[in-house]
Coordinates of all heavy atoms in Angstrom, one line a residue:
G169 N -17.4 -0.7 -12.5 CA -17.7 -2.1 -12.4 C -17.3 -2.7 -11.0 O -16.9 -1.9 -10.1
I170 N -17.4 -4.0 -10.9 CA -17.0 -4.6 -9.6 C -15.6 -4.5 -9.5 O -14.8 -4.9 -10.3 CB -17.5 -6.1 -9.5 CG1 -19.1 -6.1 -9.6 CG2 -17.1 -6.8 -8.3 CD1 -19.6 -7.5 -9.9
E171 N -15.1 -4.1 -8.3 CA -13.6 -4.1 -8.1 C -13.1 -5.4 -7.5 O -13.5 -5.8 -6.5 CB -13.3 -3.0 -7.0 CG -13.6 -1.5 -7.5 CD -13.6 -0.6 -6.5 OE1 -12.5 -0.4 -5.8 OE2 -14.5 0.2 -6.3
V172 N -12.3 -6.0 -8.4 CA -11.7 -7.3 -8.1 C -10.4 -7.2 -7.3 O -10.1 -8.0 -6.5 CB -11.5 -8.1 -9.4 CG1 -10.9 -9.4 -9.2 CG2 -12.9 -8.3 -10.1
H173 N -9.6 -6.3 -7.7 CA -8.3 -6.1 -7.1 C -8.2 -4.8 -6.2 O -8.9 -3.9 -6.5 CB -7.2 -6.0 -8.2 CG -7.0 -7.3 -9.0 ND1 -7.6 -7.4 -10.2 CD2 -6.4 -8.4 -8.6 CE1 -7.3 -8.6 -10.7 NE2 -6.6 -9.3 -9.7
T174 N -7.3 -5.0 -5.2 CA -7.0 -3.9 -4.4 C -5.5 -3.9 -4.0 O -4.8 -4.7 -4.5 CB -8.0 -3.9 -3.1 OG1 -7.9 -2.7 -2.5 CG2 -7.7 -5.1 -2.3
W175 N -5.1 -2.9 -3.2 CA -3.6 -2.7 -2.8 C -3.5 -3.0 -1.4 O -4.2 -2.5 -0.5 CB -3.2 -1.4 -3.2 CG -3.1 -1.3 -4.7 CD1 -4.1 -1.0 -5.6 CD2 -1.9 -1.6 -5.5 NE1 -3.5 -1.1 -6.9 CE2 -2.2 -1.4 -6.9 CE3 -0.6 -1.9 -5.2 CZ2 -1.3 -1.6 -7.9 CZ3 0.3 -2.1 -6.2 CH2 0.0 -2.0 -7.5
Y176 N -2.4 -3.7 -1.1 CA -1.9 -4.0 0.3 C -0.6 -3.6 0.6 O 0.3 -3.6 -0.3 CB -2.1 -5.5 0.5 CG -3.4 -6.1 0.3 CD1 -3.9 -6.6 -0.9 CD2 -4.3 -6.3 1.4 CE1 -5.1 -7.2 -1.1 CE2 -5.6 -6.8 1.2 CZ -6.0 -7.3 -0.1 OH -7.2 -7.8 -0.2
Y177 N -0.3 -3.2 1.9 CA 1.1 -3.1 2.3 C 1.3 -4.1 3.5 O 0.4 -4.5 4.1 CB 1.4 -1.6 2.8 CG 0.6 -1.1 3.9 CD1 1.0 -1.2 5.2 CD2 -0.7 -0.6 3.7 CE1 0.2 -0.7 6.2 CE2 -1.5 -0.1 4.7 CZ -1.0 -0.1 6.0 OH -1.8 0.3 7.0
E178 N 2.6 -4.5 3.6 CA 3.0 -5.5 4.5 C 2.8 -5.2 6.0 O 3.3 -4.1 6.3 CB 4.5 -5.8 4.2 CG 5.0 -7.0 4.8 CD 6.4 -7.1 4.3 OE1 7.2 -6.2 4.0 OE2 6.9 -8.2 4.3
G179 N 2.2 -6.0 6.8 CA 2.2 -5.9 8.2 C 3.0 -7.1 8.8 O 3.5 -8.0 8.1
R180 N 2.8 -7.3 10.2 CA 3.4 -8.5 10.8 C 2.5 -9.6 10.6 O 1.4 -9.6 11.2 CB 3.7 -8.2 12.3 CG 5.0 -7.4 12.5 CD 5.1 -7.1 14.0 NE 4.0 -6.2 14.5 CZ 4.0 -5.8 15.7 NH1 4.7 -6.2 16.6 NH2 2.9 -5.0 16.0
G181 N 2.8 -10.6 9.7 CA 2.1 -11.8 9.7 C 0.8 -11.6 8.8 O -0.2 -12.3 9.0
G182 N 0.8 -10.6 7.9 CA -0.3 -10.4 7.0 C -0.2 -9.0 6.3 O 0.8 -8.5 6.3
W183 N -1.3 -8.8 5.7 CA -1.3 -7.6 4.8 C -2.4 -6.6 5.2 O -3.6 -7.1 5.4 CB -1.5 -8.0 3.3 CG -0.4 -8.9 2.8 CD1 -0.3 -10.2 3.0 CD2 0.7 -8.4 2.1 NE1 0.9 -10.6 2.4 CE2 1.5 -9.6 1.7 CE3 1.1 -7.1 1.6 CZ2 2.8 -9.5 1.1 CZ3 2.4 -7.1 1.0 CH2 3.1 -8.3 0.7
W184 N -2.1 -5.4 5.2 CA -3.1 -4.3 5.4 C -3.6 -3.8 4.2 O -2.7 -3.4 3.2 CB -2.4 -3.2 6.3 CG -2.0 -3.5 7.6 CD1 -0.8 -3.9 8.1 CD2 -2.9 -3.6 8.8 NE1 -0.8 -4.1 9.5 CE2 -2.1 -4.0 9.9 CE3 -4.3 -3.4 9.0 CZ2 -2.7 -4.1 11.2 CZ3 -4.8 -3.6 10.2 CH2 -4.1 -3.9 11.4
Q185 N -4.8 -3.6 4.0 CA -5.3 -3.0 2.8 C -5.1 -1.4 3.0 O -5.3 -0.9 4.1 CB -6.8 -3.3 2.6 CG -7.4 -2.9 1.3 CD -8.8 -3.5 1.1 OE1 -9.3 -4.2 2.0 NE2 -9.4 -3.1 0.1
Y186 N -4.7 -0.8 1.9 CA -4.7 0.7 2.0 C -6.1 1.2 2.1 O -7.1 0.6 1.7 CB -4.1 1.2 0.7 CG -2.6 1.2 0.5 CD1 -2.0 0.0 0.1 CD2 -1.8 2.3 0.9 CE1 -0.6 0.0 -0.1 CE2 -0.4 2.2 0.8 CZ 0.2 1.1 0.3 OH 1.5 1.0 0.2
D187 N -6.3 2.5 2.6 CA -7.5 3.0 2.7 C -8.2 3.3 1.3 O -7.4 3.3 0.4 CB -7.6 4.4 3.6 CG -6.9 5.5 2.8 OD1 -7.5 6.0 1.9 OD2 -5.7 5.8 3.0
E188 N -9.5 3.4 1.3 CA -10.1 3.4 0.0 C -9.7 4.4 -1.0 O -9.4 4.2 -2.2 CB -11.6 3.6 0.2 CG -12.5 3.3 -1.0 CD -14.0 3.4 -0.7 OE1 -14.4 3.4 0.5 OE2 -14.7 3.6 -1.7
R189 N -9.4 5.7 -0.5 CA -9.0 6.7 -1.4 C -7.6 6.5 -2.0 O -7.3 6.7 -3.0 CB -9.0 8.1 -0.6 CG -8.6 9.3 -1.4 CD -8.5 10.5 -0.6 NE -7.5 10.4 0.5 CZ -6.2 10.4 0.4 NH1 -5.7 10.7 -0.7 NH2 -5.5 10.2 1.5
T190 N -6.7 6.0 -1.0 CA -5.3 5.7 -1.4 C -5.2 4.5 -2.4 O -4.5 4.6 -3.3 CB -4.4 5.4 -0.2 OG1 -4.6 6.6 0.7 CG2 -3.0 5.2 -0.6
C191 N -6.1 3.4 -2.2 CA -6.2 2.4 -3.1 C -6.5 2.9 -4.5 O -5.9 2.5 -5.5 CB -7.3 1.4 -2.7 SG -6.7 0.3 -1.4
A192 N -7.5 3.8 -4.6 CA -7.9 4.3 -5.9 C -6.8 5.2 -6.5 O -6.5 5.0 -7.8 CB -9.1 5.2 -5.7
E193 N -6.0 5.9 -5.7 CA -4.9 6.6 -6.3 C -3.8 5.7 -6.8 O -3.2 6.0 -7.9 CB -4.2 7.5 -5.2 CG -4.8 8.9 -4.9 CD -3.9 9.6 -3.8 OE1 -2.8 9.9 -4.1 OE2 -4.5 9.8 -2.7
I194 N -3.5 4.7 -6.0 CA -2.4 3.7 -6.4 C -2.9 3.0 -7.7 O -2.1 2.9 -8.7 CB -2.1 2.7 -5.3 CG1 -1.6 3.5 -4.1 CG2 -1.1 1.8 -5.8 CD1 -1.5 2.5 -2.9
E195 N -4.1 2.5 -7.8 CA -4.7 1.8 -8.9 C -4.6 2.7 -10.2 O -4.3 2.2 -11.3 CB -6.1 1.3 -8.6 CG -6.7 0.4 -9.7 CD -6.0 -0.9 -9.9 OE1 -5.1 -1.3 -9.2 OE2 -6.5 -1.7 -10.9
S196 N -5.0 3.9 -10.0 CA -5.0 4.8 -11.2 C -3.6 5.0 -11.7 O -3.4 5.0 -12.9 CB -5.7 6.1 -10.7 OG -5.3 7.1 -11.6
A197 N -2.6 5.2 -10.8 CA -1.2 5.4 -11.2 C -0.6 4.1 -12.0 O 0.0 4.1 -12.9 CB -0.4 5.8 -10.2
Y198 N -1.1 3.0 -11.3 CA -0.7 1.6 -11.8 C -1.2 1.4 -13.3 O -0.5 1.0 -14.2 CB -1.1 0.6 -10.9 CG -0.9 -0.8 -11.3 CD1 0.4 -1.5 -11.3 CD2 -1.9 -1.6 -11.9 CE1 0.5 -2.8 -11.7 CE2 -1.7 -2.9 -12.3 CZ -0.5 -3.4 -12.2 OH -0.4 -4.8 -12.7
L199 N -2.5 1.7 -13.4 CA -3.1 1.5 -14.8 C -2.5 2.4 -15.8 O -2.6 2.1 -16.9 CB -4.7 1.6 -14.7 CG -5.3 0.5 -13.8 CD1 -6.8 0.8 -13.7 CD2 -5.0 -0.8 -14.4
A200 N -2.1 3.6 -15.3 CA -1.4 4.6 -16.2 C 0.0 4.3 -16.5 O 0.7 5.0 -17.1 CB -1.6 6.0 -15.7
T201 N 0.4 3.2 -16.0 CA 1.8 2.6 -16.1 C 2.9 3.6 -15.7 O 4.0 3.7 -16.2 CB 2.1 2.1 -17.6 OG1 2.2 3.2 -18.5 CG2 1.1 1.1 -18.0
R202 N 2.5 4.4 -14.6 CA 3.5 5.3 -14.0 C 4.5 4.4 -13.2 O 4.1 3.2 -12.8 CB 2.9 6.2 -13.1 CG 2.2 7.3 -14.0 CD 1.4 8.3 -13.1 NE 2.3 8.8 -12.1 CZ 1.8 9.7 -11.1 NH1 0.5 10.1 -11.1 NH2 2.6 10.2 -10.2
R203 N 5.7 4.8 -13.0 CA 6.6 3.9 -12.2 C 6.6 4.1 -10.7 O 6.9 3.2 -10.0 CB 8.1 4.4 -12.7 CG 8.4 4.0 -14.1 CD 9.9 4.2 -14.5 NE 10.7 3.4 -13.6 CZ 12.0 3.5 -13.4 NH1 12.6 4.6 -13.9 NH2 12.7 2.7 -12.6
R204 N 6.0 5.2 -10.3 CA 5.9 5.3 -8.8 C 4.8 6.4 -8.5 O 4.5 7.1 -9.4 CB 7.2 5.8 -8.2 CG 7.7 7.1 -8.8 CD 9.3 7.2 -8.8 NE 9.8 7.3 -7.5 CZ 10.1 8.3 -6.8 NH1 9.8 9.5 -7.2 NH2 10.7 8.3 -5.6
I205 N 4.4 6.4 -7.3 CA 3.4 7.4 -6.9 C 3.8 7.9 -5.5 O 4.3 7.0 -4.7 CB 2.0 6.9 -7.0 CG1 1.0 8.0 -6.6 CG2 1.7 5.6 -6.1 CD1 -0.5 7.7 -6.8
E206 N 3.6 9.1 -5.3 CA 3.8 9.7 -3.9 C 2.4 9.8 -3.2 O 1.5 10.2 -3.8 CB 4.4 11.1 -4.0 CG 6.0 11.0 -4.4 CD 6.7 12.2 -4.2 OE1 6.1 13.3 -3.8 OE2 7.9 12.2 -4.4
L207 N 2.4 9.4 -2.0 CA 1.2 9.5 -1.1 C 1.4 10.2 0.2 O 2.5 10.0 0.8 CB 0.9 8.0 -0.8 CG 0.6 7.0 -1.9 CD1 0.7 5.6 -1.5 CD2 -0.6 7.3 -2.7
L208 N 0.5 10.9 0.6 CA 0.5 11.5 1.9 C -0.3 10.7 2.9 O -1.5 10.5 2.6 CB 0.0 13.0 1.8 CG 0.1 13.8 3.1 CD1 1.6 14.0 3.4 CD2 -0.6 15.1 2.9
I209 N 0.4 10.1 3.8 CA -0.3 9.2 4.8 C 0.1 9.6 6.2 O 1.2 9.6 6.6 CB 0.2 7.7 4.5 CG1 -0.2 7.2 3.2 CG2 -0.3 6.7 5.6 CD1 0.4 6.0 2.6
A210 N -1.0 10.0 6.9 CA -0.9 10.4 8.3 C 0.3 11.5 8.5 O 1.1 11.4 9.4 CB -0.5 9.2 9.2
G211 N 0.4 12.4 7.5 CA 1.3 13.5 7.5 C 2.7 13.2 7.0 O 3.5 14.1 7.1
F212 N 2.9 12.0 6.5 CA 4.3 11.6 6.0 C 4.1 11.4 4.5 O 3.1 10.8 4.1 CB 4.8 10.4 6.7 CG 5.2 10.6 8.0 CD1 4.3 10.2 9.1 CD2 6.4 11.4 8.4 CE1 4.7 10.5 10.5 CE2 6.7 11.5 9.7 CZ 5.8 11.1 10.8
L213 N 5.1 11.8 3.7 CA 5.2 11.4 2.3 C 5.7 10.0 2.2 O 6.8 9.7 2.7 CB 6.0 12.4 1.5 CG 5.3 13.7 1.0 CD1 6.2 14.7 0.4 CD2 4.2 13.2 0.0
Y214 N 5.1 9.2 1.4 CA 5.5 7.8 1.2 C 5.6 7.7 -0.3 O 4.8 8.3 -1.1 CB 4.6 6.8 1.7 CG 4.6 6.6 3.2 CD1 3.9 7.3 4.1 CD2 5.5 5.6 3.7 CE1 4.0 7.1 5.4 CE2 5.6 5.4 5.1 CZ 4.7 6.1 5.9 OH 4.8 5.9 7.3
V215 N 6.4 6.9 -0.9 CA 6.5 6.5 -2.2 C 6.2 5.0 -2.4 O 6.7 4.2 -1.7 CB 8.0 6.8 -2.8 CG1 8.0 6.3 -4.2 CG2 8.3 8.3 -2.6
V216 N 5.3 4.7 -3.4 CA 5.1 3.4 -3.9 C 5.8 3.2 -5.2 O 5.4 4.0 -6.1 CB 3.5 3.0 -3.9 CG1 3.5 1.6 -4.6 CG2 3.0 2.9 -2.5
D217 N 6.7 2.2 -5.2 CA 7.4 2.1 -6.5 C 6.9 0.8 -7.2 O 7.0 -0.3 -6.5 CB 9.0 2.0 -6.1 CG 9.8 1.8 -7.4 OD1 9.7 0.8 -8.1 OD2 10.6 2.7 -7.7
F218 N 6.5 0.9 -8.4 CA 5.9 -0.2 -9.0 C 6.9 -1.2 -9.6 O 6.5 -2.4 -9.9 CB 4.9 0.1 -10.1 CG 3.7 1.0 -9.6 CD1 3.5 2.3 -10.0 CD2 2.8 0.5 -8.7 CE1 2.4 3.0 -9.5 CE2 1.8 1.2 -8.2 CZ 1.6 2.5 -8.6
D219 N 8.1 -0.8 -9.8 CA 9.1 -1.7 -10.3 C 9.5 -2.7 -9.1 O 9.6 -3.9 -9.3 CB 10.4 -1.0 -10.7 CG 10.1 -0.2 -12.0 OD1 9.2 -0.6 -12.8 OD2 10.7 0.9 -12.2
S220 N 9.8 -2.2 -7.9 CA 10.3 -2.9 -6.8 C 9.1 -3.4 -6.0 O 9.3 -4.3 -5.2 CB 11.3 -2.3 -6.0 OG 10.8 -1.0 -5.7
M221 N 7.9 -2.8 -6.1 CA 6.7 -3.1 -5.4 C 7.0 -3.0 -3.9 O 6.8 -3.9 -3.1 CB 6.2 -4.5 -5.7 CG 5.5 -4.6 -7.1 SD 4.1 -3.5 -7.3 CE 2.8 -4.6 -6.7
V222 N 7.6 -1.8 -3.6 CA 7.8 -1.5 -2.1 C 7.2 -0.1 -1.9 O 7.1 0.8 -2.8 CB 9.2 -1.6 -1.7 CG1 9.7 -2.9 -1.7 CG2 10.1 -0.6 -2.4
Q223 N 6.9 0.1 -0.6 CA 6.5 1.4 -0.1 C 7.7 1.9 0.8 O 8.1 1.1 1.6 CB 5.2 1.4 0.7 CG 4.9 2.6 1.5 CD 3.9 2.4 2.6 OE1 2.7 2.3 2.2 NE2 4.3 2.3 3.8
T224 N 8.1 3.1 0.6 CA 9.1 3.7 1.5 C 8.6 5.0 1.9 O 8.0 5.8 1.2 CB 10.5 3.8 0.8 OG1 10.3 4.5 -0.5 CG2 11.1 2.5 0.5
R225 N 9.1 5.5 3.1 CA 8.9 6.9 3.5 C 9.9 7.7 2.7 O 11.1 7.4 2.7 CB 9.1 7.0 5.1 CG 8.2 8.0 5.6 CD 8.5 8.3 7.0 NE 7.6 7.5 7.9 CZ 7.6 7.7 9.2 NH1 8.3 8.6 9.9 NH2 6.7 7.1 10.0
R226 N 9.5 8.8 2.2 CA 10.3 9.4 1.3 C 11.6 10.0 2.0 O 12.7 9.9 1.3 CB 9.5 10.6 0.5 CG 10.2 11.1 -0.8 CD 9.5 12.1 -1.4 NE 9.5 13.3 -0.7 CZ 9.1 14.6 -1.1 NH1 8.6 14.6 -2.4 NH2 9.2 15.6 -0.3
N227 N 11.5 10.5 3.1 CA 12.6 11.1 3.8 C 13.3 10.1 4.7 O 14.2 10.4 5.5 CB 12.3 12.4 4.5 CG 11.4 12.1 5.7 OD1 11.0 10.9 6.1 ND2 11.1 13.1 6.4
D228 N 12.9 8.8 4.7 CA 13.5 7.8 5.5 C 13.3 6.4 4.8 O 12.5 5.6 5.2 CB 12.8 7.8 6.8 CG 13.5 6.8 7.8 OD1 14.4 6.1 7.4 OD2 13.0 6.9 9.0
P229 N 14.1 6.3 3.7 CA 13.8 5.0 2.9 C 14.1 3.7 3.5 O 13.7 2.7 3.0 CB 14.8 5.2 1.7 CG 15.2 6.6 1.7 CD 15.1 7.0 3.2
H230 N 14.7 3.7 4.8 CA 14.9 2.5 5.5 C 13.4 1.9 6.0 O 13.4 0.8 6.3 CB 15.8 2.7 6.7 CG 17.2 2.9 6.2 ND1 18.0 2.0 5.6 CD2 18.0 4.1 6.4 CE1 19.2 2.5 5.3 NE2 19.1 3.8 5.8
R231 N 12.5 2.9 6.0 CA 11.2 2.5 6.4 C 10.6 1.9 5.1 O 9.9 2.6 4.3 CB 10.3 3.6 7.0 CG 10.9 4.0 8.3 CD 10.1 5.2 8.8 NE 10.4 5.7 10.2 CZ 9.9 5.2 11.3 NH1 8.9 4.3 11.3 NH2 10.3 5.6 12.5
R232 N 10.7 0.6 4.9 CA 10.3 0.0 3.7 C 9.4 -1.2 4.0 O 9.6 -2.0 4.9 CB 11.6 -0.5 3.1 CG 11.5 -1.6 2.0 CD 12.9 -2.1 1.6 NE 13.5 -1.0 0.9 CZ 13.7 -1.0 -0.4 NH1 13.3 -1.9 -1.2 NH2 14.4 0.0 -1.0
R233 N 8.4 -1.3 3.2 CA 7.4 -2.4 3.3 C 7.1 -2.9 1.9 O 7.0 -2.1 0.9 CB 6.0 -2.0 3.9 CG 6.1 -1.5 5.3 CD 4.8 -0.8 5.7 NE 4.9 -0.2 7.0 CZ 4.6 -0.8 8.2 NH1 4.1 -2.1 8.1 NH2 4.8 -0.3 9.4
R234 N 6.9 -4.2 1.7 CA 6.4 -4.7 0.5 C 5.0 -4.3 0.3 O 4.3 -4.1 1.2 CB 6.6 -6.2 0.4 CG 7.9 -6.7 0.4 CD 8.1 -8.2 0.2 NE 7.5 -8.9 1.3 CZ 6.9 -10.2 1.2 NH1 6.8 -10.8 0.1 NH2 6.4 -10.7 2.3
V235 N 4.6 -4.2 -1.0 CA 3.2 -3.9 -1.3 C 2.8 -4.9 -2.4 O 3.6 -5.5 -3.0 CB 3.0 -2.5 -1.9 CG1 3.5 -1.4 -0.9 CG2 3.7 -2.3 -3.3
K236 N 1.5 -5.1 -2.5 CA 1.1 -6.0 -3.5 C -0.4 -5.6 -4.0 O -1.1 -5.0 -3.2 CB 1.1 -7.5 -3.1 CG 0.1 -7.9 -2.0 CD 0.1 -9.4 -1.8 CE -0.9 -9.9 -0.8 NZ -1.0 -11.3 -0.8
R237 N -0.6 -5.9 -5.2 CA -1.9 -5.8 -5.8 C -2.4 -7.2 -5.9 O -1.9 -8.2 -6.4 CB -1.8 -5.3 -7.2 CG -3.1 -5.1 -8.0 CD -2.9 -4.4 -9.3 NE -4.0 -4.0 -10.0 CZ -4.7 -4.7 -11.0 NH1 -4.3 -5.9 -11.2 NH2 -5.8 -4.1 -11.5
D238 N -3.6 -7.5 -5.2 CA -4.1 -8.7 -5.1 C -5.6 -8.7 -4.9 O -6.3 -7.6 -4.9 CB -3.6 -9.5 -3.8 CG -3.6 -10.9 -3.9 OD1 -4.3 -11.5 -4.7 OD2 -2.8 -11.6 -3.1
R239 N -6.3 -9.8 -4.9 CA -7.8 -9.9 -4.9 C -8.3 -9.3 -3.6 O -7.6 -9.3 -2.6 CB -8.2 -11.3 -5.1 CG -7.8 -11.8 -6.4 CD -8.2 -13.3 -6.6 NE -9.7 -13.3 -6.8 CZ -10.3 -13.2 -7.9 NH1 -9.5 -13.0 -9.1 NH2 -11.5 -13.3 -8.1
V240 N -9.4 -8.8 -3.7 CA -10.2 -8.3 -2.5 C -10.4 -9.6 -1.7 O -10.8 -10.7 -2.2 CB -11.6 -7.7 -2.8 CG1 -12.4 -7.5 -1.6 CG2 -11.3 -6.4 -3.6
G241 N -10.3 -9.5 -0.3 CA -10.7 -10.6 0.5 C -9.7 -11.8 0.6 O -10.1 -13.0 0.8
I242 N -8.4 -11.5 0.5 CA -7.4 -12.5 0.7 C -7.5 -12.9 2.2 O -7.8 -12.2 3.1 CB -5.9 -12.0 0.4 CG1 -5.6 -10.7 1.2 CG2 -5.8 -11.8 -1.1 CD1 -4.2 -10.3 1.1
P243 N -7.1 -14.3 2.4 CA -7.3 -14.7 3.8 C -6.3 -14.1 4.9 O -6.7 -14.1 6.0 CB -7.0 -16.2 3.6 CG -6.4 -16.5 2.3 CD -6.7 -15.2 1.5
D244 N -5.2 -13.6 4.4 CA -4.2 -13.0 5.4 C -4.3 -11.5 5.5 O -3.3 -10.8 5.7 CB -2.8 -13.6 5.2 CG -2.3 -13.4 3.8 OD1 -3.1 -13.0 2.9 OD2 -1.1 -13.6 3.6
R245 N -5.5 -11.0 5.1 CA -5.7 -9.5 5.2 C -6.0 -9.3 6.7 O -6.9 -9.8 7.4 CB -6.9 -9.2 4.4 CG -7.5 -7.8 4.6 CD -8.7 -7.7 3.6 NE -9.4 -6.4 3.8 CZ -10.7 -6.3 4.1 NH1 -11.5 -7.4 4.3 NH2 -11.3 -5.1 4.3
K246 N -5.2 -8.2 7.3 CA -5.3 -8.0 8.7 C -6.4 -6.9 8.9 O -7.0 -6.9 10.0 CB -4.0 -7.4 9.2 CG -2.8 -8.3 9.1 CD -1.5 -7.9 9.8 CE -1.8 -8.0 11.3 NZ -0.5 -7.7 12.0
G247 N -6.7 -6.0 7.9 CA -7.7 -5.0 8.1 C -7.3 -3.9 7.1 O -6.7 -4.1 6.2
V248 N -7.8 -2.7 7.4 CA -7.7 -1.6 6.5 C -6.9 -0.4 7.2 O -7.4 0.1 8.2 CB -9.0 -1.1 5.9 CG1 -8.8 0.1 5.0 CG2 -9.8 -2.2 5.3
A249 N -5.8 -0.1 6.6 CA -5.0 1.0 7.2 C -4.8 1.1 8.7 O -5.0 2.1 9.3 CB -5.6 2.3 6.7
G250 N -4.6 -0.1 9.3 CA -4.3 -0.2 10.7 C -5.6 -0.4 11.5 O -5.4 -0.7 12.7
I251 N -6.7 -0.5 10.9 CA -8.0 -0.8 11.6 C -8.2 -2.3 11.4 O -8.4 -2.8 10.3 CB -9.2 -0.1 11.1 CG1 -8.9 1.4 10.9 CG2 -10.5 -0.4 11.9 CD1 -8.7 2.1 12.3
R252 N -8.0 -3.1 12.5 CA -8.1 -4.6 12.4 C -9.5 -5.0 12.1 O -10.5 -4.3 12.5 CB -7.7 -5.2 13.7 CG -6.3 -5.2 14.0 CD -5.9 -5.9 15.3 NE -4.6 -6.1 15.4 CZ -3.8 -7.1 14.8 NH1 -4.5 -8.1 14.1 NH2 -2.6 -7.2 14.9
L253 N -9.6 -6.1 11.3 CA -10.8 -6.7 11.0 C -11.4 -7.2 12.3 O -10.8 -7.7 13.2 CB -10.6 -8.0 10.1 CG -10.3 -7.6 8.6 CD1 -10.0 -8.9 7.9 CD2 -11.6 -7.0 8.0
P254 N -12.7 -7.2 12.4 CA -13.4 -7.7 13.6 C -13.2 -9.1 13.8 O -12.9 -9.8 12.9 CB -14.9 -7.4 13.4 CG -15.1 -7.1 12.0 CD -13.8 -6.6 11.4
Ligands
V3L151 N1 -1.3 3.4 5.6 C1 -1.6 3.5 6.9 N2 -0.6 3.5 7.8 C2 0.6 3.3 7.4 C3 0.9 3.0 6.1 C4 -0.1 3.0 5.1 N3 0.1 2.8 3.8 N4 2.2 2.8 5.9 C5 2.8 2.9 7.2 N5 1.8 3.1 8.1 P1 6.7 3.0 8.5 P2 1.4 -4.7 12.5 C6 1.1 0.0 10.3 C7 1.9 3.3 9.6 O1 6.5 2.0 7.4 O2 0.8 -5.1 13.8 C8 -0.2 -0.8 10.2 O3 -1.2 0.0 9.5 C9 2.3 2.0 10.1 O4 1.1 1.3 10.5 O5 7.8 2.6 9.4 O6 2.9 -4.6 12.5 C10 -0.6 -0.8 11.7 O7 -1.4 0.3 12.2 C11 3.1 2.3 11.4 O8 2.3 2.6 12.4 O9 6.6 4.4 8.1 O10 1.0 -5.6 11.3 C12 0.8 -0.9 12.4 O11 1.8 -0.7 11.4 C13 3.8 3.8 11.0 O12 3.0 4.2 9.8 C14 1.1 -2.2 13.1 O13 0.9 -3.3 12.1 C15 5.2 3.6 10.6 O14 5.4 2.7 9.4

């Protein structure tokens, strides 16, 4: 069906949407009520924890960003996975 919600991680002054494949992975784990999911992003393992709604780098938990599940097309969306919106 039409996808209403997607997943974002925190940037400076806005939110980056996860890439499409990663969004699908996170949503699937979230709907299965898992507590966390591990993701491979640019060669690093990250953990998204659904209780605290943060993303951390697995071997460097000080690298922490808030995450959120929100509607597609929020006004403070910066782009997708580091690619800025035009
Ligand atoms: N998907 C893609 N790249 C990521 C992700 C992710 N889920 N998490 C971290 N990185 P850290 P502004 C971000 C990148 O958390 O100007 C944005 O995508 C992260 O990229 O310390 O501050 C932008 O490309 C960063 O380059 O592990 O809003 C960039 O920051 C690097 O991994 C600047 O965004 C270290 O992040």
Side-chain angles (χ1 to χ4, degrees):
I170 297 167
E171 292 170 56
V172 176
H173 293 102
T174 189
W175 286 87
Y176 298 92
Y177 60 93
E178 186 176 33
R180 281 176 296 180
W183 295 87
W184 293 101
Q185 195 172 352
Y186 283 85
D187 72 78
E188 187 178 345
R189 179 187 57 81
T190 304
C191 280
E193 274 186 65
I194 299 172
E195 181 72 0
S196 165
Y198 172 80
L199 293 177
T201 68
R202 290 175 50 187
R203 292 191 59 200
R204 62 211 292 270
I205 184 173
E206 288 192 357
L207 304 166
L208 188 61
I209 294 167
F212 293 99
L213 271 173
Y214 286 88
V215 175
V216 169
D217 183 293
F218 296 120
D219 293 329
S220 49
M221 291 296 274
V222 295
Q223 166 193 291
T224 51
R225 211 186 265 189
R226 203 181 64 171
N227 68 1
D228 188 355
H230 294 293
R231 292 179 177 270
R232 159 186 295 256
R233 294 168 187 269
R234 291 188 295 155
V235 304
K236 66 173 182 173
R237 182 177 189 263
D238 205 343
R239 299 179 71 84
V240 171
I242 55 171
D244 53 350
R245 168 179 175 240
K246 299 189 78 171
V248 179
I251 311 292
R252 284 183 170 277
L253 284 173

